[in-house]
């Protein structure tokens, strides 16, 4: 361990002495500040901060990730080509420890830059807020001071409903079982989805929430909703109701709100049962159909911690991600020359951050019709790229952090963390293996 | 200087190394069926022209390359064994240090890699920097060093763990004459302590000065291998060296020799001081006067922990040969020194009496004349 820490300290010290650390730090912080101040919103402080923090955090973190990959590639490659690693491996230290020490040292540098980035964003937000009235500042402080946990309603399973509908159509003789292809299935799925999101005038719809337990912080929970309507100028009227059998307190709100906008209303905590499970019902009094989207239509927020809880969670998640990017950079730097290594690693990263788009492309390529050989090649290439880049995906914390929504470790642990950890471990082992098993002299650029 | 033990420090059997191109085709056969044994305690010279395979062989020993065929063992273990590297020290052909670290930091860093205690690191760093003449540059970045200073630091790094096997790739390349002499002194000192030293050098006189054994490679194959004295001795010639005698004595001796051999076969001249010794005298004197220099100073001899046990208690380092030299008066110039020597006829006999082979490893003391040779001469 002493040897590993020695290498880590040396790597960190060299990143300071070569000014690589300061250069990266200034660039990341500078880009964050620049984007923060050039972004513009609706002029309301809370909204402005939300938008500016989201943009600057997401973009500067992406830039930081790229720089960390390039730094890791450069660090190990320059030591191989400069033969410092040769001298090191002629000493009694295993290549695995050398790799681990370099990884720790670079991760330490990344941590310093990440802290600087977060402090820059906080500093920008504070500086920007000074030009607003005390009321707006107070509102922003109360908005960001407490972070809220976002609860989604228990959604109905659309896929299962689609299968049931198709079975019913087949039984009713309206559909031939042999003709149920992907396009038919998709058409029926979309019909059910539309029906699930549509609410006719005078109709009611309920959403079940499970908060786990009655929240203990604050006096209220926030109900956040957004409706869509064809007539974007008329207000939408309706009534929200929350009543739970056996629970004495209830909640009722008559509203008239504009469409297409997020509305937040407080629900007294007394209306929430001890179990945290309740049903929220909407009675539409709109003049026409309204659409309530499944993903973003209705949410409940309750206070769970402070801004610093969120900052800490964001930092930890991003450090895990940066750890993986450092491992990828080191592995690429060992296996390839610096230009090739940086190019490949950065392509992988871009592929990972745009995986959503490529997944859609993949779905479009494979759905609905027979695919040609060329399309099949494309599918294989995109699938392979997505698979290779899967573990490089950054944690989705910038949106939550900018919206003062508590970063859900449970969600990250199920959706993001396992893939990233497995990827990081595999890449790490591969990097160590390359350094240990390959002839070091042959890894050197221009070696015989 | 040859070790008394017959145990081997390095054993190579049937070693071959073939470099292949991208398509797996043989490109270069750097080593071919090399068999070698370096006994423990030997000072072993690896010689050969450029591209002969010397560096490849060293890289195999360090585990930077793997043999295509054959077996290589360092102290009975494979070269890639991490533990065996605790007993090894390596000075590469060029200095590959981190430019942004000071010389003291580099030694501290390698000391920690070697698992030395903090006290050992502090003590050895001081001694080594003093030994290689870099104590004044201990806080200077390695990137600011000249090539020679880098070599000195490299040597300090290689000696940090007091290695049992020291691999020196061109140890005197880029060093000034002081540095060359100090390195040679150091190698001899280490040899006396039973350490094994493997060195490569294109400066054959350096190799001849210090090595017990040499192996000559050419085209990746061993051309010759053996003890320096045996390989270089010319058994058909003799050389004698003695103080000035009268012309009569000399003439009678030459006449006696002429009775047996042709006068054309007798070579006689006066020995002249070699340039290295002359240079060292001048610099040593200036160094004793503490003449200012931003570069490397003359080293203060071999670090205490690298010397024999009898010196181990001493905190100061042995001032060595250079100190002795510095006390002598420098001569005006090599040529003036030569002109002060006796007449040509006296010098002729001097060379006749001294054996041509100066690398005779059986001689413990250079001042002694082999009695067998004298017996032969007087017959």
């Amino acid at each position: 361990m002493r040897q590993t820490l020695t290498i880590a300290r040396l790597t960190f010290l060299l990143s300071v002495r070569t000014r690589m650390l300061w250069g990266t730090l200034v660039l990341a912080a500078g880009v964050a500040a620049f984007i923060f101040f050039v972004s513009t919103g609706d002029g309301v402080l809370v909204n402005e901060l939300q938008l500016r923090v989201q943009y600057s955090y997401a973009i500067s973190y992406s830039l930081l990730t790229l720089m960390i990959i390039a730094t890791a590639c450069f660090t190990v490659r320059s030591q191989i080509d400069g033969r410092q690693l040769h001298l090191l491996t002629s000493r009694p230290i295993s290549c695995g420890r050398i790799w681990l020490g370099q990884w720790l040292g670079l991760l330490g540098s990344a941590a310093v830059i990440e802290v600087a980035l977060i402090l820059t964003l906080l500093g920008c937000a504070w500086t920007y807020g000074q030009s607003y009235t005390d009321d707006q500042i107070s509102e922003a402080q109360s908005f960001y001071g407490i972070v809220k946990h976002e609860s989604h309603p228990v959604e109905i399973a659309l896929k299962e409903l689609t299968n049931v509908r198709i079975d019913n159509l087949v039984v009713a003789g309206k559909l031939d079982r042999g003709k149920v292809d992907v396009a038919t299935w998709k058409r029926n799925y979309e019909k059910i989805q539309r029906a699930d999101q549509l609410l006719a005038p005078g109709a009611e719809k309920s959403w079940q929430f499970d908060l786990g337990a009655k929240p203990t912080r604050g006096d209220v929970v926030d109900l956040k909703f957004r409706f869509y309507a064809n007539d974007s100028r008329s207000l939408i009227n309706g009534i929200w109701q929350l009543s739970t059998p056996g629970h004495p307190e209830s909640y009722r709100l008559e509203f008239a709100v504009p469409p297409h906008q997020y509305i937040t209303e407080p629900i007294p905590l007394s209306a929430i049962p001890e179990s945290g499970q309740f049903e929220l019902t909407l009675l539409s009094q709109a003049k026409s159909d309204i659409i309530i989207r499944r993903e973003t239509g209705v949410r409940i927020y309750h206070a769970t911690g402070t801004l610093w809880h969120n900052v800490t969670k964001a930092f930890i998640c991003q450090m895990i991600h940066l750890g993986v990017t450092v491992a990828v950079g080191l592995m690429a730097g060992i296996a390839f020359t610096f230009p090739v290594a940086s190019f490949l690693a950065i392509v992988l990263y871009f592929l990972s951050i745009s995986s959503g788009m490529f997944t859609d492309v993949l779905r479009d390529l494979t759905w609905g019709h027979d695919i040609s050989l060329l399309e099949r090649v494309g599918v294989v290439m995109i699938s392979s790229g997505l698979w290779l880049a899967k573990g490089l995906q950054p944690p989705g914390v910038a949106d939550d952090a900018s919206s003062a929504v508590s970063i859900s470790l449970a969600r990250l642990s199920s959706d993001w963390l396992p893939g990233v950890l497995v990827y990081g471990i595999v890449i790490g082992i591969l990097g160590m293996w390359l350094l240990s098993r390959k002839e070091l002299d042959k890894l050197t650029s221009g070696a015989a | 200087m040859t070790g008394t033990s017959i145990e081997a420090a390095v054993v190579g059997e049937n070693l071959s190394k073939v470099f292949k191109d991208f398509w797996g085709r043989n490109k270069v056969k750097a080593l071919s069926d090399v068999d070698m044994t370096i006994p423990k305690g030997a000072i072993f010279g690896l010689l050969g022209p450029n591209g002969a395979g010397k560096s490849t062989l060293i890289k195999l020993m360090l585990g930077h390359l793997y043999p295509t065929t054959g077996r290589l063992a360092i102290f009975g273990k494979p070269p890639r064994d991490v533990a065996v590297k605790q007993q090894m020290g390596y000075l590469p052909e060029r200095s590959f240090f981190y430019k942004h670290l000071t010389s003291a930091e580099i030694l501290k860093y390698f000391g920690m890699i070697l698992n030395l205690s903090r006290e050992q690191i502090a003590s050895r760093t001081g001694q080594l920097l003093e030994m290689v003449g870099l104590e004044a540059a201990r806080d200077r970045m390695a990137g600011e060093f000249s090539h020679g200073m880098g070599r000195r630091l490299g040597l300090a790094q290689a000696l940090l763990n007091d290695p049992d096997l020291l691999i020196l790739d061109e140890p005197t390349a880029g060093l000034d004459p002081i540095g060359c002499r100090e390195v040679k002194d150091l190698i001899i000192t280490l040899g006396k302590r039973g350490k094994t030293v493997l060195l490569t050098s294109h400066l054959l006189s350096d190799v001849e000065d210090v090595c017990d054994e040499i192996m000559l490679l050419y085209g990746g194959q061993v051309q010759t291998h053996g003890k320096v004295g045996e390989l270089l001795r010319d058994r058909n010639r003799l050389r004698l060296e003695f103080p000035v005698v009268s012309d009569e004595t000399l003439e009678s001796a030459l006449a006696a020799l002429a009775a047996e051999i042709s006068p054309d076969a007798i070579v006689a001249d006066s020995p002249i001081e070699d340039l290295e010794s002359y240079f060292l005298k001048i610099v040593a004197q200036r160094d004793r006067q503490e003449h200012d220099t931003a570069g490397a100073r003359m080293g203060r001899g071999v670090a205490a922990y690298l010397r024999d046990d009898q010196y181990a208690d001493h905190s100061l380092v042995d001032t060595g040969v250079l100190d002795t030299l510095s006390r002598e008066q420098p001569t005006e110039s090599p040529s003036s020194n030569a002109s002060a020597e006796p007449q040509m006829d006296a010098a002729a006999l001097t060379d006749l009496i001294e054996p041509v082979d100066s690398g005779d490893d059986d001689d413990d003391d250079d001042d002694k004349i082999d009695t067998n040779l004298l017996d032969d001469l007087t017959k």
Side-chain angles (χ1 to χ4, degrees), chain A residues 97-133:
Chain A
R97 285 185 182 173
I98 293 174
W99 188 96
L100 200 59
Q102 304 252 11
W103 180 80
L104 279 173
L106 287 166
L107 195 61
S109 303
V112 171
I113 301 169
E114 173 71 10
V115 168
L117 182 62
I118 290 171
L119 291 177
T120 302
L121 286 170
L122 292 173
C124 287
W126 185 84
T127 307
Y128 179 75
Q130 298 308 301
S131 59
Y132 280 80
T133 62

Side-chain angles (χ1 to χ4, degrees), chain A residues 2-3 9-10 14 17-18 79 82-84 86 88-89 91-92 436-441, chain B residues 17 59 64-66 80 82 85-86 88 96-98 100-101 105 109 112-113 115-116 157 161:
Chain A
R2 187 190 185 211
Q3 290 179 321
R9 271 199 296 271
L10 175 87
L14 287 174
R17 295 249 175 105
T18 56
Q79 289 185 51
R83 294 181 181 262
Q84 287 94 355
H86 293 62
L88 207 52
T89 51
R91 290 313 196 176
S436 309
R437 295 292 162 193
K438 291 269 284 181
E439 290 175 287
L440 189 58
D441 219 58
Chain B
K17 180 65 190 174
K59 284 169 186 172
H64 295 166
L65 287 173
Y66 312 148
R80 287 170 61 203
V82 170
K85 291 180 179 173
Q86 188 73 46
M88 293 169 69
F96 305 124
F97 291 120
Y98 297 101
H100 296 87
L101 294 184
E105 284 173 337
Y109 160 60
M112 292 180 84
I113 298 289
N115 281 319
L116 300 179
Q157 171 276 133
N161 54 330

Side-chain angles (χ1 to χ4, degrees), chain A residues 175-214:
Chain A
L175 193 63
D176 185 355
R177 173 69 73 184
K179 290 182 180 173
V180 180
D181 56 8
V182 175
T184 308
W185 192 93
K186 190 180 172 189
R187 198 166 52 246
N188 281 281
Y189 177 91
E190 285 170 353
K191 271 186 185 174
I192 292 173
Q193 190 181 34
R194 274 200 299 275
D196 181 47
Q197 296 184 144
L198 200 69
L199 193 61
E204 263 188 10
K205 181 174 170 64
S206 295
W207 290 266
Q208 278 81 39
F209 284 91
D210 184 357
L211 307 185
K214 184 175 181 175

Side-chain angles (χ1 to χ4, degrees), chain B residues 205-253:
Chain B
S205 60
D206 289 347
V207 176
E208 195 180 338
D209 284 349
V210 296
C211 287
D212 308 322
E213 286 189 42
I214 57 168
M215 185 169 85
L216 202 150
L217 289 174
Y218 184 79
Q221 292 181 316
V222 178
Q223 302 300 320
T224 183
H225 178 193
K227 295 206 177 284
V228 176
E230 289 168 8
L231 292 173
L232 301 184
R233 186 191 301 273
D234 182 352
R235 295 186 182 280
N236 295 317
R237 296 188 70 81
L238 284 176
R239 192 169 71 193
L240 293 172
E241 189 173 317
F242 49 84
V244 177
V245 293
S246 66
D247 287 354
E248 294 75 23
T249 307
L250 194 61
E251 279 167 14
S252 64

Side-chain angles (χ1 to χ4, degrees), chain A residues 15-201:
Chain A
S15 74
V16 173
R17 295 249 175 105
T18 56
R19 298 186 178 86
M20 201 181 285
L21 175 69
W22 304 126
T24 312
L25 189 151
V26 168
L27 196 59
V31 166
F34 176 76
I35 292 171
F36 185 93
F37 285 109
V38 298
S39 304
T40 50
D42 60 6
V44 177
L45 181 59
V46 169
N47 297 341
E48 285 282 352
L49 289 178
Q50 199 166 331
L51 179 129
R52 287 165 189 256
V53 169
Q54 185 184 358
Y55 282 4
S56 60
Y57 197 14
I59 293 172
S60 56
Y61 180 74
S62 294
L63 181 73
L64 171 62
T65 309
L66 291 175
M67 288 191 291
I68 292 294
I69 289 177
T71 303
C73 283
F74 178 77
T75 301
V76 71
R77 182 37 61 181
S78 63
Q79 289 185 51
I80 292 173
D81 291 345
R83 294 181 181 262
Q84 287 94 355
L85 221 52
H86 293 62
L87 198 55
L88 207 52
T89 51
S90 69
R91 290 313 196 176
I93 178 170
S94 68
C95 291
R97 285 185 182 173
I98 293 174
W99 188 96
L100 200 59
Q102 304 252 11
W103 180 80
L104 279 173
L106 287 166
L107 195 61
S109 303
V112 171
I113 301 169
E114 173 71 10
V115 168
L117 182 62
I118 290 171
L119 291 177
T120 302
L121 286 170
L122 292 173
C124 287
W126 185 84
T127 307
Y128 179 75
Q130 298 308 301
S131 59
Y132 280 80
T133 62
D134 289 346
D135 286 348
Q136 291 220 40
I137 292 172
S138 173
E139 185 192 3
Q141 282 174 342
S142 62
F143 180 78
Y144 279 105
I146 301 291
V147 294
K148 286 126 318 202
H149 180 266
E150 185 181 66
S151 298
H152 298 226
V154 179
E155 304 279 7
I156 59 169
L158 291 186
K159 285 182 181 175
E160 288 169 17
L161 282 180
T162 306
N163 291 334
V164 171
R165 176 183 161 80
I166 286 172
D167 288 344
N168 290 342
L169 288 171
V170 169
V171 170
K174 293 179 180 174
L175 193 63
D176 185 355
R177 173 69 73 184
K179 290 182 180 173
V180 180
D181 56 8
V182 175
T184 308
W185 192 93
K186 190 180 172 189
R187 198 166 52 246
N188 281 281
Y189 177 91
E190 285 170 353
K191 271 186 185 174
I192 292 173
Q193 190 181 34
R194 274 200 299 275
D196 181 47
Q197 296 184 144
L198 200 69
L199 193 61

